[in-house]
Amino acid sequence: MSSIKKHHPDRLLVSTIMLFFFSAFMLTAMRGEIQWKGFILAVVVPFLIYVSTMWIPHLFPADKLLLALANFLCALGILILFITDKDAGTDRGMRQAAAYGLGLIVMLVCITFIRFVKKWDLLIKIVFLGGLVLLALPLAIGSEKNGATNWINIGGTSLQPSEVVKLALLLVLSYYMSRRKLWHWMIFTVISLLILMLQKDLGTALIYYGSALFMFYASTGNLPLTGVGIVGGAGAAFLGYRMFAHVKKRVAIWKNPWLYYETSGYQIVQALIAIASGGWLGVGLGLGSPRVIPVYYTDCIFAVICEQFGIVFGILVLVIYVIMILRATFIALQARDSFYALLVIGSTAMLGLQTFLIIGGVLKMIPLTGVTMPFVSYGGTSLISSMGLIGLIQGVASLNRDQLAYDYEISRYSSLEQGL
Amino acid sequence: MPDEVYELISRGARYWFLFLMVLVVWRSMSWYLKDKKTYRKHIRFLPDAGSIGRLEIIHGEDINKIGLSFPVRREGTIGTSRMNDIRITGKGIQTIHLRFHFEEKIGLLIEKANENAFAMMDGNLLSDYPVCMLHESILNLGEVELQLLLFEGFECFGLSEEEIKPAEQYDTVEKTPAFSYAPQRQSPKPTKRRRGQ
């Protein structure tokens, strides 16, 4: 009698992730006075991870690995924010958890869109115009935060339109690039970049430009023109350096932050000290002084992770991002339509570029740009936009699986017809 | 919980969290690699997955290439450059010579990639507009002659050159006026190749 050993990599991975966060939140809840919110999160967060990773694929044939890793990163962000909430007297952890729930819904919406929309013409035109209008809103009714006018307030809630328009950019570019309509996607990209320059949101402009260039190369394979694009981008960066004082300041801080230790270089210096003080294994969850770092909950959250859990843990977080990018590339290569392939490639490029910019900035490899760490950094709009990206990738992954299943069905039918 | 006790537990828990993180990364990586292996097995079992037919070289100066066939996917390009989906080398063939894409209920539409790309289909010179290729159509590119063999299930209606509009306007079958009075092929029903043949 033979026994068939079934491997369930999804259950193994999800159970490990659930155990991680259950133990982390339970430990944090017992720090100082008992925090009941910690116990609630110790149950709710692993439950949400389980539901989103194991149940959503029952609705659509989604990619469980990508889901699991995205959920892990989101939960890690909630954990870090929750740890620092007690001392800061803030409620960022709970708000991030609420944004995570909303992000899951947005992800489902994006998956549905990709799966069920067959005729994209009219929708793309709406997205084209709507995206540009939304992106330009902060110029009319926006407020300035950290030197950039890229926020709007709607009913007491702050919203960053450039994060939402990222999804529009991907859809518009992949649609027009797949149909070789050069002017359409160039107009959208150029106008978006101009608006972002006016808002002084140069980090996001860099992400938009980099993703567009990557998609251009993927769709045409034209290396010389892509090279021209890279040179053009470098030229624009140099122009930005000459024109904007805050860019000059950031480059100066990057060159030698110790010269400006007490002023503008304080953030990066404290981030570096935090990473170093954590050592290989970290100071311990809930210990250390993460709040010493200015804006630790968005820009420098990676430094907080390294301080709490250690440099080895930080490297493993980077490996998680790399696995996600590899997985998304794998999905793009299986797509049978250039529109979907470009959509996934663009999403992957955006995710990779954003991760590189923020982590490179925190580690002083490149000047700090002020973009958020995907899935982890505090920010409802950022988290929802990242989950939307995952939704687009998941939608294409589910189409790929359907098509492969159809191919199997056809080959089985042909074999039956042939009497095989 | 007293701070000293918490500090002790937290410092001990570092190893636990690191262990779990290593486990997460290990399991993710092995899952990813396993899936890649499984996908390669799928493709070996279904070599024509994603293709709608094959283009076979039936005539050319290089005798060794006669009989060579290429899978035809739903969209792509034909030319001498490596970046093409179907790479065919020969005299008179451009770097990117032709573009093709499959439209549901219309068929495989083929068009010139640039002005200097000359090609003939079933004896007719290709113009600037896309033309529908049928099963067993003959395509002449430079000195190479190719035949299209469509898999079962990919129907194609014949449309004359004047009736075909640029492919982007074929949103629905109903919008294509040519479709309603498209001359049906009078020749015997072409035999369609099954997948894997």
Side-chain angles (χ1 to χ4, degrees), chain A residues 321-369:
Chain A
Y321 278 108
V322 169
I323 295 173
M324 287 179 77
I325 288 165
L326 286 173
R327 186 69 166 192
T329 313
F330 181 58
I331 291 167
L333 290 171
Q334 290 176 51
R336 295 183 187 183
D337 192 277
S338 53
F339 168 59
Y340 296 121
L342 282 170
L343 191 60
V344 177
I345 287 168
S347 308
T348 313
M350 205 170 258
L351 182 70
L353 194 57
Q354 192 170 341
T355 308
F356 171 72
L357 284 177
I358 186 58
I359 292 178
V362 169
L363 298 176
K364 212 181 83 70
M365 279 168 57
I366 53 173
L368 205 55
T369 46

Side-chain angles (χ1 to χ4, degrees), chain A residues 48 51-52 56 59-60 67 71 74 96-114 167 380 383-392 394:
Chain A
L48 276 176
V51 160
S52 58
I56 283 177
L59 298 170
F60 318 104
L67 268 175
N71 287 326
C74 292
Q96 188 80 341
Y100 171 53
L102 198 59
L104 287 173
I105 296 168
V106 167
M107 186 182 71
L108 279 172
V109 166
C110 288
I111 296 174
T112 314
F113 254 106
I114 298 295
L167 305 178
L383 181 57
I384 286 167
S385 150
S386 301
M387 294 301 278
L389 268 181
I390 292 294
L392 294 177
Q394 287 287 358

